Short mmCIF file of all heavy atoms in Angstrom, two decimals:
data_model
loop_
_atom_site.label_atom_id
_atom_site.label_comp_id
_atom_site.label_asym_id
_atom_site.label_seq_id
_atom_site.Cartn_x
_atom_site.Cartn_y
_atom_site.Cartn_z
N GLY A 1 -15.06 14.14 -35.90
CA GLY A 1 -14.29 12.99 -35.57
C GLY A 1 -13.64 13.09 -34.22
O GLY A 1 -14.15 12.61 -33.22
N ASP A 2 -12.47 13.71 -34.15
CA ASP A 2 -11.68 13.75 -32.91
C ASP A 2 -12.34 14.61 -31.84
O ASP A 2 -12.23 14.32 -30.65
CB ASP A 2 -10.28 14.29 -33.20
CG ASP A 2 -9.44 13.31 -34.01
OD1 ASP A 2 -9.77 12.10 -33.97
OD2 ASP A 2 -8.49 13.74 -34.66
N ALA A 3 -13.03 15.66 -32.24
CA ALA A 3 -13.68 16.53 -31.27
C ALA A 3 -14.82 15.81 -30.56
O ALA A 3 -15.04 16.02 -29.37
CB ALA A 3 -14.20 17.79 -31.95
N VAL A 4 -15.51 14.95 -31.25
CA VAL A 4 -16.60 14.19 -30.64
C VAL A 4 -16.05 13.20 -29.62
O VAL A 4 -16.57 13.08 -28.51
CB VAL A 4 -17.42 13.45 -31.73
CG1 VAL A 4 -18.45 12.53 -31.09
CG2 VAL A 4 -18.08 14.44 -32.67
N ILE A 5 -14.98 12.52 -29.96
CA ILE A 5 -14.37 11.56 -29.03
C ILE A 5 -13.84 12.29 -27.80
O ILE A 5 -14.01 11.84 -26.67
CB ILE A 5 -13.24 10.77 -29.73
CG1 ILE A 5 -13.84 9.85 -30.80
CG2 ILE A 5 -12.46 9.94 -28.72
CD1 ILE A 5 -12.80 9.17 -31.66
N ALA A 6 -13.18 13.42 -28.00
CA ALA A 6 -12.63 14.18 -26.89
C ALA A 6 -13.72 14.69 -25.97
O ALA A 6 -13.51 14.80 -24.76
CB ALA A 6 -11.80 15.34 -27.42
N SER A 7 -14.89 14.99 -26.50
CA SER A 7 -15.96 15.50 -25.64
C SER A 7 -16.68 14.36 -24.92
O SER A 7 -17.31 14.59 -23.88
CB SER A 7 -16.96 16.31 -26.46
OG SER A 7 -17.64 15.47 -27.39
N VAL A 8 -16.61 13.15 -25.44
CA VAL A 8 -17.29 12.02 -24.80
C VAL A 8 -16.44 11.44 -23.67
O VAL A 8 -16.95 11.03 -22.64
CB VAL A 8 -17.60 10.92 -25.86
CG1 VAL A 8 -18.12 9.66 -25.20
CG2 VAL A 8 -18.59 11.45 -26.87
N VAL A 9 -15.13 11.43 -23.85
CA VAL A 9 -14.23 10.84 -22.87
C VAL A 9 -13.89 11.87 -21.80
O VAL A 9 -13.47 12.99 -22.11
CB VAL A 9 -12.94 10.35 -23.57
CG1 VAL A 9 -11.95 9.82 -22.55
CG2 VAL A 9 -13.28 9.29 -24.60
N ASP A 10 -14.05 11.50 -20.56
CA ASP A 10 -13.68 12.36 -19.43
C ASP A 10 -12.23 12.07 -19.06
O ASP A 10 -11.93 11.18 -18.28
CB ASP A 10 -14.61 12.09 -18.25
CG ASP A 10 -14.39 13.05 -17.10
OD1 ASP A 10 -13.50 13.92 -17.22
OD2 ASP A 10 -15.09 12.93 -16.08
N TRP A 11 -11.32 12.83 -19.68
CA TRP A 11 -9.90 12.57 -19.52
C TRP A 11 -9.44 12.78 -18.09
O TRP A 11 -8.52 12.09 -17.61
CB TRP A 11 -9.09 13.42 -20.50
CG TRP A 11 -9.30 12.98 -21.91
CD1 TRP A 11 -10.05 13.61 -22.86
CD2 TRP A 11 -8.79 11.80 -22.52
NE1 TRP A 11 -10.03 12.88 -24.03
CE2 TRP A 11 -9.27 11.76 -23.85
CE3 TRP A 11 -7.98 10.76 -22.08
CZ2 TRP A 11 -8.96 10.74 -24.73
CZ3 TRP A 11 -7.68 9.73 -22.96
CH2 TRP A 11 -8.16 9.73 -24.26
N ASP A 12 -10.02 13.74 -17.37
CA ASP A 12 -9.64 13.96 -15.98
C ASP A 12 -9.95 12.74 -15.13
O ASP A 12 -9.14 12.33 -14.29
CB ASP A 12 -10.35 15.19 -15.41
CG ASP A 12 -9.84 16.48 -16.03
OD1 ASP A 12 -8.66 16.50 -16.45
OD2 ASP A 12 -10.61 17.45 -16.08
N ALA A 13 -11.09 12.13 -15.36
CA ALA A 13 -11.47 10.94 -14.60
C ALA A 13 -10.56 9.76 -14.94
O ALA A 13 -10.15 9.00 -14.05
CB ALA A 13 -12.92 10.57 -14.87
N ILE A 14 -10.22 9.62 -16.21
CA ILE A 14 -9.33 8.53 -16.62
C ILE A 14 -7.95 8.71 -16.00
O ILE A 14 -7.36 7.76 -15.48
CB ILE A 14 -9.25 8.45 -18.15
CG1 ILE A 14 -10.57 7.93 -18.71
CG2 ILE A 14 -8.10 7.54 -18.59
CD1 ILE A 14 -10.65 7.90 -20.20
N LEU A 15 -7.42 9.92 -16.04
CA LEU A 15 -6.11 10.18 -15.44
C LEU A 15 -6.13 9.96 -13.93
O LEU A 15 -5.17 9.44 -13.36
CB LEU A 15 -5.64 11.59 -15.78
CG LEU A 15 -5.28 11.82 -17.25
CD1 LEU A 15 -4.94 13.28 -17.50
CD2 LEU A 15 -4.12 10.92 -17.66
N GLN A 16 -7.23 10.33 -13.29
CA GLN A 16 -7.35 10.11 -11.85
C GLN A 16 -7.35 8.62 -11.54
O GLN A 16 -6.69 8.17 -10.60
CB GLN A 16 -8.61 10.76 -11.30
CG GLN A 16 -8.72 10.62 -9.79
CD GLN A 16 -9.95 11.31 -9.23
OE1 GLN A 16 -10.83 11.74 -9.96
NE2 GLN A 16 -10.01 11.39 -7.91
N VAL A 17 -8.08 7.83 -12.31
CA VAL A 17 -8.10 6.38 -12.11
C VAL A 17 -6.71 5.80 -12.29
O VAL A 17 -6.27 4.94 -11.51
CB VAL A 17 -9.11 5.71 -13.07
CG1 VAL A 17 -8.91 4.21 -13.11
CG2 VAL A 17 -10.53 6.05 -12.68
N ILE A 18 -5.98 6.27 -13.29
CA ILE A 18 -4.64 5.74 -13.56
C ILE A 18 -3.69 6.05 -12.41
O ILE A 18 -3.01 5.15 -11.90
CB ILE A 18 -4.10 6.31 -14.90
CG1 ILE A 18 -4.88 5.71 -16.07
CG2 ILE A 18 -2.60 6.02 -15.05
CD1 ILE A 18 -4.57 6.35 -17.41
N TRP A 19 -3.63 7.31 -11.95
CA TRP A 19 -2.66 7.62 -10.91
C TRP A 19 -3.04 7.03 -9.56
O TRP A 19 -2.17 6.61 -8.79
CB TRP A 19 -2.35 9.11 -10.82
CG TRP A 19 -3.29 9.97 -10.05
CD1 TRP A 19 -4.28 10.74 -10.54
CD2 TRP A 19 -3.32 10.17 -8.63
NE1 TRP A 19 -4.93 11.39 -9.52
CE2 TRP A 19 -4.36 11.06 -8.34
CE3 TRP A 19 -2.56 9.68 -7.57
CZ2 TRP A 19 -4.67 11.46 -7.05
CZ3 TRP A 19 -2.87 10.07 -6.27
CH2 TRP A 19 -3.91 10.97 -6.03
N VAL A 20 -4.34 6.96 -9.27
CA VAL A 20 -4.76 6.35 -8.00
C VAL A 20 -4.47 4.85 -8.02
O VAL A 20 -4.01 4.28 -7.02
CB VAL A 20 -6.26 6.63 -7.73
CG1 VAL A 20 -6.78 5.77 -6.60
CG2 VAL A 20 -6.46 8.10 -7.42
N SER A 21 -4.68 4.21 -9.15
CA SER A 21 -4.40 2.78 -9.26
C SER A 21 -2.90 2.50 -9.11
O SER A 21 -2.51 1.56 -8.42
CB SER A 21 -4.87 2.25 -10.61
OG SER A 21 -6.25 2.41 -10.74
N LEU A 22 -2.09 3.31 -9.76
CA LEU A 22 -0.65 3.14 -9.64
C LEU A 22 -0.18 3.38 -8.20
O LEU A 22 0.62 2.61 -7.66
CB LEU A 22 0.09 4.09 -10.59
CG LEU A 22 0.08 3.70 -12.06
CD1 LEU A 22 0.67 4.82 -12.90
CD2 LEU A 22 0.84 2.41 -12.27
N ALA A 23 -0.68 4.44 -7.59
CA ALA A 23 -0.28 4.75 -6.22
C ALA A 23 -0.72 3.64 -5.26
O ALA A 23 0.05 3.23 -4.39
CB ALA A 23 -0.88 6.09 -5.79
N ALA A 24 -1.93 3.16 -5.42
CA ALA A 24 -2.42 2.10 -4.55
C ALA A 24 -1.65 0.81 -4.79
O ALA A 24 -1.29 0.11 -3.83
CB ALA A 24 -3.91 1.88 -4.77
N GLY A 25 -1.40 0.48 -6.03
CA GLY A 25 -0.68 -0.76 -6.33
C GLY A 25 0.74 -0.74 -5.79
O GLY A 25 1.18 -1.69 -5.13
N VAL A 26 1.45 0.33 -6.03
CA VAL A 26 2.83 0.44 -5.55
C VAL A 26 2.84 0.59 -4.02
O VAL A 26 3.63 -0.06 -3.33
CB VAL A 26 3.55 1.63 -6.22
CG1 VAL A 26 4.89 1.90 -5.58
CG2 VAL A 26 3.72 1.35 -7.71
N GLY A 27 1.97 1.43 -3.50
CA GLY A 27 1.95 1.67 -2.05
C GLY A 27 1.56 0.44 -1.26
O GLY A 27 2.19 0.12 -0.25
N LEU A 28 0.54 -0.26 -1.70
CA LEU A 28 0.09 -1.45 -0.98
C LEU A 28 1.12 -2.57 -1.08
O LEU A 28 1.37 -3.27 -0.10
CB LEU A 28 -1.26 -1.90 -1.53
CG LEU A 28 -2.07 -2.83 -0.64
CD1 LEU A 28 -2.30 -2.22 0.73
CD2 LEU A 28 -3.41 -3.13 -1.30
N THR A 29 1.74 -2.71 -2.24
CA THR A 29 2.79 -3.71 -2.39
C THR A 29 3.98 -3.40 -1.49
O THR A 29 4.54 -4.29 -0.85
CB THR A 29 3.23 -3.80 -3.86
OG1 THR A 29 2.10 -4.11 -4.67
CG2 THR A 29 4.29 -4.85 -4.06
N ALA A 30 4.36 -2.13 -1.43
CA ALA A 30 5.48 -1.73 -0.57
C ALA A 30 5.13 -1.94 0.90
O ALA A 30 5.97 -2.42 1.67
CB ALA A 30 5.83 -0.27 -0.82
N ALA A 31 3.92 -1.61 1.29
CA ALA A 31 3.51 -1.80 2.68
C ALA A 31 3.55 -3.27 3.06
O ALA A 31 4.03 -3.63 4.15
CB ALA A 31 2.11 -1.22 2.91
N TRP A 32 3.05 -4.14 2.18
CA TRP A 32 3.08 -5.58 2.45
C TRP A 32 4.54 -6.07 2.51
O TRP A 32 4.89 -6.90 3.35
CB TRP A 32 2.29 -6.34 1.40
CG TRP A 32 2.18 -7.79 1.72
CD1 TRP A 32 2.74 -8.83 1.05
CD2 TRP A 32 1.45 -8.39 2.80
NE1 TRP A 32 2.42 -10.01 1.65
CE2 TRP A 32 1.63 -9.77 2.72
CE3 TRP A 32 0.68 -7.85 3.83
CZ2 TRP A 32 1.05 -10.64 3.64
CZ3 TRP A 32 0.10 -8.72 4.74
CH2 TRP A 32 0.29 -10.10 4.64
N GLY A 33 5.39 -5.54 1.65
CA GLY A 33 6.81 -5.89 1.68
C GLY A 33 7.45 -5.50 2.99
O GLY A 33 8.24 -6.26 3.57
N PHE A 34 7.13 -4.31 3.50
CA PHE A 34 7.67 -3.89 4.80
C PHE A 34 7.14 -4.77 5.93
O PHE A 34 7.85 -5.06 6.88
CB PHE A 34 7.34 -2.42 5.07
CG PHE A 34 8.26 -1.47 4.36
CD1 PHE A 34 7.75 -0.54 3.47
CD2 PHE A 34 9.62 -1.49 4.58
CE1 PHE A 34 8.59 0.33 2.80
CE2 PHE A 34 10.48 -0.62 3.92
CZ PHE A 34 9.96 0.29 3.02
N ALA A 35 5.88 -5.19 5.81
CA ALA A 35 5.32 -6.08 6.84
C ALA A 35 6.08 -7.40 6.86
O ALA A 35 6.43 -7.91 7.94
CB ALA A 35 3.83 -6.31 6.58
N LEU A 36 6.33 -7.96 5.69
CA LEU A 36 7.07 -9.22 5.62
C LEU A 36 8.52 -9.06 6.06
O LEU A 36 9.04 -9.88 6.83
CB LEU A 36 7.03 -9.78 4.19
CG LEU A 36 5.68 -10.24 3.69
CD1 LEU A 36 5.79 -10.69 2.24
CD2 LEU A 36 5.14 -11.36 4.55
N LEU A 37 9.17 -8.02 5.57
CA LEU A 37 10.56 -7.77 5.94
C LEU A 37 10.70 -7.57 7.45
O LEU A 37 11.56 -8.19 8.09
CB LEU A 37 11.09 -6.53 5.21
CG LEU A 37 12.48 -6.06 5.65
CD1 LEU A 37 13.54 -6.95 5.04
CD2 LEU A 37 12.69 -4.62 5.26
N GLY A 38 9.85 -6.72 7.99
CA GLY A 38 9.95 -6.42 9.41
C GLY A 38 9.71 -7.64 10.28
O GLY A 38 10.45 -7.88 11.25
N SER A 39 8.69 -8.42 9.94
CA SER A 39 8.40 -9.59 10.78
C SER A 39 9.50 -10.64 10.67
O SER A 39 9.92 -11.23 11.67
CB SER A 39 7.04 -10.18 10.42
OG SER A 39 7.02 -10.59 9.07
N ALA A 40 9.99 -10.89 9.46
CA ALA A 40 11.04 -11.90 9.29
C ALA A 40 12.34 -11.48 9.98
O ALA A 40 12.97 -12.28 10.68
CB ALA A 40 11.29 -12.13 7.80
N ARG A 41 12.72 -10.23 9.81
CA ARG A 41 13.97 -9.76 10.44
C ARG A 41 13.84 -9.67 11.95
O ARG A 41 14.80 -9.90 12.67
CB ARG A 41 14.38 -8.40 9.87
CG ARG A 41 14.65 -8.40 8.41
CD ARG A 41 15.91 -9.11 8.07
NE ARG A 41 16.12 -8.99 6.63
CZ ARG A 41 17.11 -9.53 5.99
NH1 ARG A 41 18.00 -10.23 6.64
NH2 ARG A 41 17.21 -9.40 4.70
N ALA A 42 12.65 -9.32 12.42
CA ALA A 42 12.46 -9.25 13.88
C ALA A 42 12.66 -10.61 14.51
O ALA A 42 13.32 -10.74 15.56
CB ALA A 42 11.06 -8.71 14.20
N VAL A 43 12.12 -11.64 13.89
CA VAL A 43 12.30 -13.00 14.41
C VAL A 43 13.77 -13.40 14.34
O VAL A 43 14.34 -13.95 15.29
CB VAL A 43 11.41 -14.00 13.63
CG1 VAL A 43 11.77 -15.43 13.97
CG2 VAL A 43 9.95 -13.72 13.90
N GLU A 44 14.39 -13.09 13.21
CA GLU A 44 15.81 -13.46 13.01
C GLU A 44 16.71 -12.79 14.04
O GLU A 44 17.53 -13.45 14.70
CB GLU A 44 16.23 -13.06 11.60
CG GLU A 44 17.68 -13.32 11.28
CD GLU A 44 18.06 -12.83 9.89
OE1 GLU A 44 17.15 -12.60 9.07
OE2 GLU A 44 19.26 -12.67 9.65
N PHE A 45 16.56 -11.48 14.19
CA PHE A 45 17.42 -10.77 15.14
C PHE A 45 17.06 -11.09 16.58
O PHE A 45 17.90 -11.06 17.47
CB PHE A 45 17.37 -9.26 14.89
CG PHE A 45 18.17 -8.84 13.69
CD1 PHE A 45 17.54 -8.26 12.59
CD2 PHE A 45 19.53 -9.01 13.64
CE1 PHE A 45 18.26 -7.86 11.48
CE2 PHE A 45 20.28 -8.62 12.53
CZ PHE A 45 19.64 -8.04 11.44
N GLY A 46 15.78 -11.39 16.83
CA GLY A 46 15.38 -11.79 18.18
C GLY A 46 16.02 -13.10 18.58
O GLY A 46 16.45 -13.27 19.73
N ARG A 47 16.12 -14.04 17.66
CA ARG A 47 16.77 -15.33 17.94
C ARG A 47 18.27 -15.17 18.16
O ARG A 47 18.87 -15.93 18.90
CB ARG A 47 16.53 -16.30 16.79
CG ARG A 47 15.13 -16.82 16.75
CD ARG A 47 14.95 -17.80 15.63
NE ARG A 47 13.57 -18.26 15.59
CZ ARG A 47 13.01 -18.85 14.56
NH1 ARG A 47 13.72 -19.07 13.45
NH2 ARG A 47 11.76 -19.24 14.60
N ASP A 48 18.86 -14.16 17.49
CA ASP A 48 20.29 -13.91 17.66
C ASP A 48 20.59 -13.12 18.92
O ASP A 48 21.76 -12.88 19.23
CB ASP A 48 20.85 -13.15 16.45
CG ASP A 48 20.92 -13.99 15.20
OD1 ASP A 48 20.84 -15.24 15.31
OD2 ASP A 48 21.06 -13.41 14.10
N GLY A 49 19.57 -12.69 19.65
CA GLY A 49 19.77 -11.94 20.88
C GLY A 49 20.00 -10.46 20.67
O GLY A 49 20.41 -9.76 21.60
N ARG A 50 19.74 -9.96 19.48
CA ARG A 50 19.91 -8.53 19.19
C ARG A 50 18.55 -7.85 19.31
O ARG A 50 17.92 -7.48 18.33
CB ARG A 50 20.51 -8.36 17.81
CG ARG A 50 21.89 -9.00 17.69
CD ARG A 50 22.43 -9.00 16.30
NE ARG A 50 22.62 -7.63 15.81
CZ ARG A 50 22.96 -7.34 14.56
NH1 ARG A 50 23.16 -8.32 13.70
NH2 ARG A 50 23.11 -6.09 14.18
N LEU A 51 18.12 -7.68 20.55
CA LEU A 51 16.76 -7.21 20.81
C LEU A 51 16.47 -5.79 20.34
O LEU A 51 15.38 -5.55 19.81
CB LEU A 51 16.43 -7.37 22.29
CG LEU A 51 16.33 -8.83 22.78
CD1 LEU A 51 15.99 -8.88 24.25
CD2 LEU A 51 15.32 -9.59 21.97
N PRO A 52 17.37 -4.83 20.50
CA PRO A 52 17.04 -3.48 20.00
C PRO A 52 16.76 -3.46 18.50
O PRO A 52 15.82 -2.82 18.04
CB PRO A 52 18.28 -2.65 20.34
CG PRO A 52 18.92 -3.37 21.47
CD PRO A 52 18.65 -4.82 21.23
N VAL A 53 17.57 -4.19 17.73
CA VAL A 53 17.36 -4.24 16.28
C VAL A 53 16.07 -5.00 15.97
O VAL A 53 15.31 -4.62 15.07
CB VAL A 53 18.58 -4.90 15.58
CG1 VAL A 53 18.35 -4.99 14.08
CG2 VAL A 53 19.85 -4.14 15.89
N ALA A 54 15.82 -6.05 16.74
CA ALA A 54 14.59 -6.84 16.54
C ALA A 54 13.36 -5.98 16.79
O ALA A 54 12.36 -6.09 16.06
CB ALA A 54 14.60 -8.05 17.45
N VAL A 55 13.41 -5.13 17.80
CA VAL A 55 12.28 -4.26 18.11
C VAL A 55 12.05 -3.26 16.98
O VAL A 55 10.90 -3.00 16.59
CB VAL A 55 12.49 -3.54 19.46
CG1 VAL A 55 11.48 -2.43 19.66
CG2 VAL A 55 12.43 -4.54 20.60
N ILE A 56 13.12 -2.72 16.44
CA ILE A 56 12.99 -1.77 15.32
C ILE A 56 12.32 -2.45 14.13
O ILE A 56 11.40 -1.90 13.51
CB ILE A 56 14.36 -1.19 14.94
CG1 ILE A 56 14.86 -0.27 16.05
CG2 ILE A 56 14.29 -0.43 13.61
CD1 ILE A 56 16.29 0.17 15.90
N TYR A 57 12.78 -3.66 13.81
CA TYR A 57 12.17 -4.39 12.69
C TYR A 57 10.73 -4.77 12.99
O TYR A 57 9.88 -4.79 12.10
CB TYR A 57 13.00 -5.62 12.32
CG TYR A 57 14.12 -5.30 11.37
CD1 TYR A 57 15.46 -5.40 11.76
CD2 TYR A 57 13.86 -4.90 10.06
CE1 TYR A 57 16.48 -5.12 10.88
CE2 TYR A 57 14.88 -4.61 9.18
CZ TYR A 57 16.19 -4.72 9.59
OH TYR A 57 17.20 -4.43 8.72
N ALA A 58 10.44 -5.08 14.24
CA ALA A 58 9.06 -5.41 14.60
C ALA A 58 8.15 -4.20 14.40
O ALA A 58 7.01 -4.33 13.93
CB ALA A 58 8.99 -5.89 16.05
N VAL A 59 8.64 -3.03 14.73
CA VAL A 59 7.87 -1.79 14.51
C VAL A 59 7.66 -1.56 13.01
O VAL A 59 6.55 -1.19 12.59
CB VAL A 59 8.57 -0.59 15.18
CG1 VAL A 59 7.94 0.73 14.75
CG2 VAL A 59 8.55 -0.73 16.69
N VAL A 60 8.69 -1.79 12.21
CA VAL A 60 8.56 -1.65 10.75
C VAL A 60 7.51 -2.62 10.23
O VAL A 60 6.65 -2.26 9.42
CB VAL A 60 9.92 -1.87 10.06
CG1 VAL A 60 9.75 -2.01 8.55
CG2 VAL A 60 10.88 -0.74 10.38
N GLY A 61 7.57 -3.86 10.72
CA GLY A 61 6.59 -4.86 10.28
C GLY A 61 5.18 -4.50 10.70
O GLY A 61 4.23 -4.64 9.92
N ALA A 62 5.03 -4.04 11.93
CA ALA A 62 3.70 -3.65 12.42
C ALA A 62 3.16 -2.45 11.64
O ALA A 62 1.97 -2.40 11.31
CB ALA A 62 3.77 -3.34 13.91
N ALA A 63 4.03 -1.50 11.33
CA ALA A 63 3.59 -0.34 10.55
C ALA A 63 3.16 -0.74 9.14
O ALA A 63 2.15 -0.26 8.63
CB ALA A 63 4.71 0.70 10.49
N GLY A 64 3.90 -1.64 8.52
CA GLY A 64 3.52 -2.13 7.20
C GLY A 64 2.20 -2.86 7.23
O GLY A 64 1.33 -2.65 6.38
N PHE A 65 2.02 -3.71 8.23
CA PHE A 65 0.76 -4.45 8.35
C PHE A 65 -0.40 -3.49 8.64
O PHE A 65 -1.48 -3.64 8.07
CB PHE A 65 0.87 -5.50 9.46
CG PHE A 65 -0.35 -6.36 9.57
CD1 PHE A 65 -0.63 -7.32 8.60
CD2 PHE A 65 -1.23 -6.22 10.62
CE1 PHE A 65 -1.75 -8.12 8.69
CE2 PHE A 65 -2.36 -7.01 10.73
CZ PHE A 65 -2.62 -7.97 9.76
N ALA A 66 -0.16 -2.49 9.48
CA ALA A 66 -1.21 -1.51 9.78
C ALA A 66 -1.60 -0.74 8.52
O ALA A 66 -2.78 -0.47 8.30
CB ALA A 66 -0.73 -0.55 10.86
N ALA A 67 -0.62 -0.40 7.68
CA ALA A 67 -0.91 0.31 6.44
C ALA A 67 -1.77 -0.54 5.51
O ALA A 67 -2.69 -0.03 4.86
CB ALA A 67 0.39 0.71 5.75
N VAL A 68 -1.50 -1.84 5.47
CA VAL A 68 -2.30 -2.74 4.64
C VAL A 68 -3.74 -2.80 5.16
O VAL A 68 -4.70 -2.71 4.39
CB VAL A 68 -1.67 -4.14 4.58
CG1 VAL A 68 -2.61 -5.14 3.92
CG2 VAL A 68 -0.35 -4.09 3.82
N VAL A 69 -3.89 -2.93 6.47
CA VAL A 69 -5.23 -2.99 7.06
C VAL A 69 -5.99 -1.68 6.82
O VAL A 69 -7.17 -1.69 6.46
CB VAL A 69 -5.15 -3.31 8.57
CG1 VAL A 69 -6.49 -3.15 9.25
CG2 VAL A 69 -4.60 -4.72 8.78
N VAL A 70 -5.31 -0.56 6.98
CA VAL A 70 -5.94 0.74 6.74
C VAL A 70 -6.39 0.85 5.28
O VAL A 70 -7.49 1.34 4.99
CB VAL A 70 -4.99 1.89 7.12
CG1 VAL A 70 -5.47 3.23 6.57
CG2 VAL A 70 -4.83 1.97 8.63
N ALA A 71 -5.56 0.39 4.35
CA ALA A 71 -5.93 0.45 2.94
C ALA A 71 -7.15 -0.41 2.64
O ALA A 71 -8.03 -0.02 1.87
CB ALA A 71 -4.75 0.01 2.07
N ILE A 72 -7.21 -1.59 3.25
CA ILE A 72 -8.36 -2.47 3.05
C ILE A 72 -9.63 -1.83 3.60
O ILE A 72 -10.68 -1.80 2.95
CB ILE A 72 -8.11 -3.85 3.68
CG1 ILE A 72 -7.03 -4.59 2.90
CG2 ILE A 72 -9.39 -4.68 3.74
CD1 ILE A 72 -6.52 -5.84 3.57
N VAL A 73 -9.55 -1.30 4.81
CA VAL A 73 -10.72 -0.66 5.43
C VAL A 73 -11.14 0.56 4.60
O VAL A 73 -12.34 0.77 4.36
CB VAL A 73 -10.43 -0.27 6.89
CG1 VAL A 73 -11.52 0.61 7.46
CG2 VAL A 73 -10.25 -1.52 7.74
N PHE A 74 -10.17 1.36 4.15
CA PHE A 74 -10.48 2.52 3.34
C PHE A 74 -11.18 2.10 2.05
O PHE A 74 -12.17 2.74 1.63
CB PHE A 74 -9.20 3.30 3.02
CG PHE A 74 -9.42 4.52 2.21
CD1 PHE A 74 -10.03 5.64 2.76
CD2 PHE A 74 -9.02 4.59 0.88
CE1 PHE A 74 -10.24 6.78 2.00
CE2 PHE A 74 -9.21 5.72 0.12
CZ PHE A 74 -9.82 6.82 0.68
N GLY A 75 -10.72 1.04 1.42
CA GLY A 75 -11.36 0.56 0.21
C GLY A 75 -12.79 0.10 0.45
O GLY A 75 -13.68 0.38 -0.35
N ILE A 76 -13.01 -0.58 1.56
CA ILE A 76 -14.37 -1.03 1.89
C ILE A 76 -15.29 0.17 2.15
O ILE A 76 -16.42 0.19 1.70
CB ILE A 76 -14.34 -2.00 3.09
CG1 ILE A 76 -13.67 -3.30 2.68
CG2 ILE A 76 -15.75 -2.25 3.62
CD1 ILE A 76 -13.38 -4.24 3.82
N VAL A 77 -14.77 1.15 2.86
CA VAL A 77 -15.57 2.36 3.14
C VAL A 77 -15.92 3.07 1.84
O VAL A 77 -17.07 3.49 1.64
CB VAL A 77 -14.82 3.29 4.11
CG1 VAL A 77 -15.46 4.66 4.18
CG2 VAL A 77 -14.73 2.67 5.49
N ILE A 78 -14.97 3.21 0.94
CA ILE A 78 -15.21 3.88 -0.34
C ILE A 78 -16.25 3.10 -1.15
O ILE A 78 -17.16 3.68 -1.76
CB ILE A 78 -13.91 4.05 -1.13
CG1 ILE A 78 -12.97 5.00 -0.43
CG2 ILE A 78 -14.17 4.48 -2.56
CD1 ILE A 78 -13.49 6.42 -0.33
N LEU A 79 -16.14 1.77 -1.17
CA LEU A 79 -17.07 0.97 -1.96
C LEU A 79 -18.49 0.98 -1.40
O LEU A 79 -19.45 0.87 -2.15
CB LEU A 79 -16.57 -0.47 -2.05
CG LEU A 79 -15.38 -0.69 -2.96
CD1 LEU A 79 -14.86 -2.13 -2.84
CD2 LEU A 79 -15.73 -0.39 -4.40
N THR A 80 -18.62 1.10 -0.10
CA THR A 80 -19.94 1.03 0.51
C THR A 80 -20.59 2.39 0.71
O THR A 80 -21.76 2.46 1.09
CB THR A 80 -19.90 0.29 1.86
OG1 THR A 80 -18.99 0.97 2.74
CG2 THR A 80 -19.47 -1.15 1.67
N SER A 81 -19.85 3.47 0.48
CA SER A 81 -20.45 4.80 0.65
C SER A 81 -21.24 5.18 -0.59
O SER A 81 -20.96 4.73 -1.69
CB SER A 81 -19.34 5.84 0.93
OG SER A 81 -18.53 5.99 -0.20
N ASP A 82 -22.19 6.04 -0.37
CA ASP A 82 -23.04 6.48 -1.50
C ASP A 82 -22.48 7.69 -2.16
O ASP A 82 -22.09 8.65 -1.83
CB ASP A 82 -24.46 6.76 -1.03
CG ASP A 82 -25.17 5.46 -0.71
OD1 ASP A 82 -24.81 4.44 -1.29
OD2 ASP A 82 -26.09 5.51 0.12
#
């Protein structure tokens, strides 16, 4: 009974899928959040004339957007590789 099921299921692969999915979901969501936060705050502080703070937020937004792009490209590379 249980021994047959345990030998058929590759628990290491299932656990790897779970943690990679969680990491990608949380990481990608956080990166997109930083992209939105940084771009919105950069515009806001730029309009208020607080350029140093606006530049910092613009860098945060650009880094978040770059992380999203890198994740997308990485996913495409993984899916298309043999």
Side-chain angles (χ1 to χ4, degrees):
D2 290 337
V4 173
I5 292 172
S7 66
V8 172
V9 176
D10 186 0
W11 291 105
D12 290 333
I14 289 176
L15 291 175
Q16 183 178 10
V17 166
I18 290 171
W19 82 261
V20 168
S21 299
L22 285 172
V26 171
L28 199 55
T29 302
W32 186 248
F34 281 121
L36 292 177
L37 173 77
S39 61
R41 299 288 183 182
V43 170
E44 178 183 342
F45 284 117
R47 287 181 182 163
D48 289 344
R50 298 173 63 187
L51 293 181
V53 178
V55 168
I56 291 170
Y57 275 113
V59 169
V60 168
F65 185 72
V68 170
V69 170
V70 166
I72 291 169
V73 169
F74 181 72
I76 291 170
V77 167
I78 293 296
L79 286 173
T80 58
S81 67
D82 288 333

